[in-house]
Amino acid sequence: DTGVSQNPRHKITKRGQNVTFRCDPISEHNRLYWYRQTLGQGPEFLTYFQNEAQLEKSRLLSDRFSAERPKGSFSTLEIQRTEQGDSAMYLCANSPSANYGYTFGSGTRLTVV
Amino acid sequence: AQSVTQLDSQVPVFEEAPVELRCNYSSSVSVYLFWYVQYPNQGLQLLLKYLSGSTLVKGINGFEAEFNKSQTSFHLRKPSVHISDTAEYFCAGGGAGNMLTFGGGTRLMVKP
């Protein structure tokens, strides 16, 4: 139990469909991050929240991607009109400060067919 | 911009042998560095971190890493590996920004 929960663990969707992932972080850690990891690569930063405020977004986060963290608790990542290139593991991470290190969830593996 | 390079994509090693996984970073600001381990179909787990102070950092599972500022390196070592250490290892660095930058990973393959 890592303390960060992600759902679903796996998602298979048809190209063009919308998908939404959920992350439930450690409640007392106010920083929340989304990363994307493709096979054989390291995680790539997507976006960062401090409490409910989305403070940074990567250029990887196209306008088809949107993330929210209402009330500074759980977070959702939505991908609209999915493409095959969106197939990846989507990781949520949580931290109390910039230099503390992250606690990661187990990830959501997305397969777009 | 912060960048992290892991020089070896795969490292095969026999059980009970020593291992070193290499990591180099670049940064123009104060730096903190991490090593994470990822087992198949799981998220990343923190092995150890360097913030300041002693350049030799000890982590979980018998791993240690040495921060070398002159060589901008943060190599991970273990004196004797086990089969259970087979996994993907990621080096990560943070600077003035809010997020960590990860290297491409090194797959450690421990053979009996």
Side-chain angles (χ1 to χ4, degrees), chain A residues 9-10 31 33 35 37 40-43 45 48 56 89 91 98-102 104-107 109, chain B residues 32 34 36 38 41-46 49 51 88 90 95 97-105 107:
Chain A
R9 290 294 305 275
H10 304 276
R31 294 170 176 246
Y33 304 82
Y35 278 75
Q37 185 180 24
Q41 302 297 318
F45 170 75
Y48 156 63
E56 293 193 51
M89 175 79 87
L91 296 166
N99 63 359
Y100 184 83
Y102 296 167
F104 280 90
S106 297
R109 182 170 296 283
Chain B
Y32 36 93
F34 304 83
Y36 286 85
Q38 185 177 34
N41 297 314
Q42 294 187 25
L44 283 72
Q45 179 184 357
L46 181 65
K49 62 182 176 182
L51 302 181
E88 190 89 19
F90 293 95
N98 290 302
M99 78 292 292
L100 296 183
T101 299
F102 286 82
R107 181 171 298 278

Side-chain angles (χ1 to χ4, degrees), chain A residues 7-20:
Chain A
N7 289 288
R9 290 294 305 275
H10 304 276
K11 178 71 176 178
I12 300 175
T13 190
K14 292 184 178 180
R15 189 175 54 186
Q17 297 295 306
N18 299 345
V19 293
T20 300

Side-chain angles (χ1 to χ4, degrees), chain B residues 19-35:
Chain B
V19 71
E20 178 180 83
L21 306 184
R22 296 183 292 170
C23 172
N24 286 88
Y25 68 92
S26 68
S27 177
S28 60
V29 297
S30 59
V31 63
Y32 36 93
L33 295 159
F34 304 83
W35 274 98

